[in-house]
Amino acid sequence: MRILVLGGDGYLGWPTAMHFSARGNEVMVVDNYLRRNLARETRSEALVRNPNLHERASIFNAVTGKKIEVRIADCSNASELDELFLEFHPETVIHYAEQPSAPYSMIGYREAQRTLNNNLNATFNVIWSVIRYVPECHVIKLGTMGEYGTPNIDIEEGWIDIKHNGRSDRFLFPRQAGSLYHTTKVLDTDLLWFYVRLYGIRVTDLMQGPVYGLETAETGADSQLMPNFHYDDIFGTVLNRFLVQAVAGIPLTIYGKGGQVRGYLNLQDTLQCVELACRQPASKGELRILNQFTEQFSVYELAERVREAGNDIGLKVSLQHIANPRKEKEEHYYNAKHAGLIEMGLKPHLLTGDVIERMLRRVMEYRSMIDKEKVLPRVRWG
Ligand code: USQ
């Protein structure tokens, strides 16, 4: 299959590109290094300096003999994206090309505007490139569980049936996101749904929870192939941050009470889910929404698990509750359905003590590179 990976330099994009290339697909990755630049601007560089995309592709080629085509281009620029669609004629496009950080989007006007412009324009351009050049192409779009927020009712998989004054209809599940970044994903979904209804394109919107991990089947061949592993307050997701904090001897930074529940998944399961979506595409005129996570945890539970696994291997891990820099519920109901991907064949890698221990040991190899100044939250909501 010809697979175009937009945002192919990212934490998910690069492992996705390797995954599909290793399995015999024709893969082209596109990126404009937005995240790398924003990370540099905000002093949030990854734990290990990752080679650039051209270098990554040649290292991958040297160890596997497989090719990944690289293009440095900006997906929020329609003509740059059009050219790539005309050249490559993808059968599947995996769209990760977004500013992915909630805290970054909450720094101020400039950062919010950059997030809004980049994310909405990239999605809008992908839709139009598909409509104009490859109308049969399956769009796999990375959404987020954060689109739903934390409602006081069960979270359905994308859609809800509503009875009102004796009549009923099916609607997108109500969304109420907690950051501007998450709100751009809500707007993306609305754009996609509009163009699915009007033009009959085929779309899978993957509502993913926070991802953790630094290894996939392809990263073992050369340590330079590892994903960008962020542990700072802006680009680091919570469990990855806790792993680094545990290794650095920093008490784990639980924001507020720590009762915030989210659905989590291992990076390896992101790849499985995207592969499943790719192999079993949405139909023409369908917006298929899948909730992409394997287990629910509160922040406090996550911290406890890291403490236990860390202490088992001789780290001295402690916890701290710090003032929550975000505006979010710290105790709430949370029950999100996630049967779709399991029914399609997902075999979850769960967060066992052994899994945490293995990740901690990997991080310990890079202990000397941890910059403790990057850990405490710098961005406050509102
Ligand atoms: N949190 C802490 N301590 C920390 C960092 C975070 O308690 O040191 C808490 C946050 O307040 C939040 C939860 O952990 O309640 C998750 O935070 P996160 O930073 O791991 O996740 P988030 O900002 O929501 O964003 C991440 C990715 C984003 C993705 C999203 C999925 O950066 O790209 O869309 O996870 S979800 O959270 O389901 O919306």
Side-chain angles (χ1 to χ4, degrees):
M1 205 182 269
R2 279 189 310 284
I3 302 175
L4 184 61
V5 182
L6 307 176
D9 188 51
Y11 176 55
L12 309 175
W14 175 244
T16 300
M18 291 195 291
H19 175 91
F20 282 106
S21 176
R23 283 155 190 78
N25 300 281
E26 241 181 277
V27 176
M28 178 185 274
V29 290
V30 182
D31 209 290
N32 65 345
Y33 295 133
L34 174 70
R35 182 202 39 85
R36 284 192 194 235
N37 291 333
L38 300 184
R40 251 199 313 270
E41 277 175 27
T42 56
R43 198 178 168 192
S44 309
E45 295 90 346
L47 178 61
V48 180
R49 195 179 291 270
N50 300 101
N52 69 36
L53 260 185
H54 287 287
E55 291 163 344
R56 283 175 147 178
S58 26
I59 298 164
F60 180 70
N61 180 251
V63 295
T64 62
K66 308 270 184 192
K67 259 188 92 173
I68 294 177
E69 284 288 333
V70 174
R71 296 288 182 278
I72 304 305
D74 180 358
C75 299
S76 69
N77 179 320
S79 54
E80 291 184 26
L81 194 65
D82 279 353
E83 257 180 51
L84 298 172
F85 271 79
L86 280 170
E87 178 192 350
F88 190 62
H89 276 275
E91 291 157 287
T92 301
V93 54
I94 304 175
H95 172 25
Y96 295 122
E98 303 217 339
Q99 191 296 98
S101 161
Y104 179 83
S105 75
M106 300 300 287
I107 294 175
Y109 173 81
R110 187 169 151 267
E111 294 78 7
Q113 194 207 34
R114 237 167 147 176
T115 304
L116 190 70
N117 286 345
N118 180 78
N119 294 4
L120 267 287
N121 284 331
T123 299
F124 182 69
N125 292 342
V126 169
I127 291 169
W128 273 101
S129 296
V130 167
I131 289 173
R132 283 186 291 195
Y133 307 120
V134 281
E136 294 299 321
C137 176
H138 179 209
V139 179
I140 299 179
K141 163 70 175 46
L142 200 83
T144 170
M145 285 300 294
E147 291 186 35
Y148 303 118
T150 49
N152 198 30
I153 58 171
D154 290 348
I155 294 174
E156 299 298 321
E157 231 160 342
W159 303 94
I160 187 165
D161 296 312
I162 294 184
K163 276 207 176 104
H164 182 63
N165 294 345
R167 305 182 66 80
S168 59
D169 207 342
R170 191 169 179 247
F171 296 93
L172 283 170
F173 192 88
R175 278 100 20 95
Q176 37 193 5
S179 78
L180 192 270
Y181 152 74
H182 289 96
T183 302
T184 63
K185 297 273 186 174
V186 172
L187 300 172
D188 281 341
T189 300
D190 281 325
L191 269 182
L192 290 163
W193 178 216
F194 173 73
Y195 282 102
V196 164
R197 291 201 309 275
L198 270 287
Y199 289 78
I201 56 174
R202 52 176 95 229
V203 178
T204 299
D205 201 345
L206 297 171
M207 301 300 172
Q208 185 171 246
V211 183
Y212 58 85
L214 29 40
E215 282 179 302
T216 70
E218 284 68 49
T219 55
D222 188 316
S223 62
Q224 293 189 87
L225 295 175
M226 81 182 264
N228 330 307
F229 188 78
H230 286 275
Y231 61 98
D232 59 274
D233 60 315
I234 295 182
F235 290 98
T237 49
V238 62
L239 182 52
N240 287 349
R241 279 168 57 66
F242 285 174
L243 296 171
V244 172
Q245 293 167 7
V247 170
I250 301 166
L252 310 188
T253 55
I254 297 169
Y255 294 169
K257 294 184 180 135
Q260 303 91 310
V261 180
R262 302 286 183 272
Y264 292 84
L265 76 166
N266 191 307
L267 177 56
Q268 300 176 65
D269 289 342
T270 295
L271 303 185
Q272 260 198 83
C273 293
V274 175
E275 164 102 38
L276 288 166
C278 188
R279 299 273 158 246
Q280 301 166 53
S283 309
K284 271 190 87 61
E286 182 190 11
L287 170 63
R288 176 176 58 176
I289 301 179
L290 297 163
N291 291 348
Q292 184 163 310
F293 68 93
T294 56
E295 297 171 277
Q296 288 188 186
F297 298 109
S298 70
V299 169
Y300 182 76
E301 282 166 344
L302 276 184
E304 273 294 344
R305 282 175 178 239
V306 173
R307 168 157 67 180
E308 205 174 298
N311 289 344
D312 281 351
I313 59 170
L315 296 168
K316 291 193 170 54
V317 185
S318 60
L319 315 184
Q320 58 177 324
H321 288 267
I322 58 176
N324 197 336
R326 306 185 182 199
K327 284 193 180 150
E328 62 183 358
K329 291 180 198 152
E330 294 174 7
E331 278 170 327
H332 57 91
Y333 179 77
Y334 199 79
N335 183 31
K337 309 264 173 81
H338 57 117
L341 282 156
I342 299 284
E343 281 161 15
M344 288 165 71
L346 172 65
K347 303 269 178 293
H349 292 80
L350 299 178
L351 187 67
T352 61
D354 288 348
V355 168
I356 299 176
E357 184 184 321
R358 189 178 159 96
M359 294 191 291
L360 286 168
R361 289 193 190 279
R362 285 285 289 153
V363 173
M364 283 159 74
E365 293 170 30
Y366 304 104
R367 196 196 303 248
S368 64
M369 290 151 109
I370 300 172
D371 176 355
K372 294 189 179 180
E373 299 295 312
K374 287 180 180 165
V375 167
L376 288 177
R378 294 167 288 178
V379 184
R380 284 176 200 285
W381 268 221

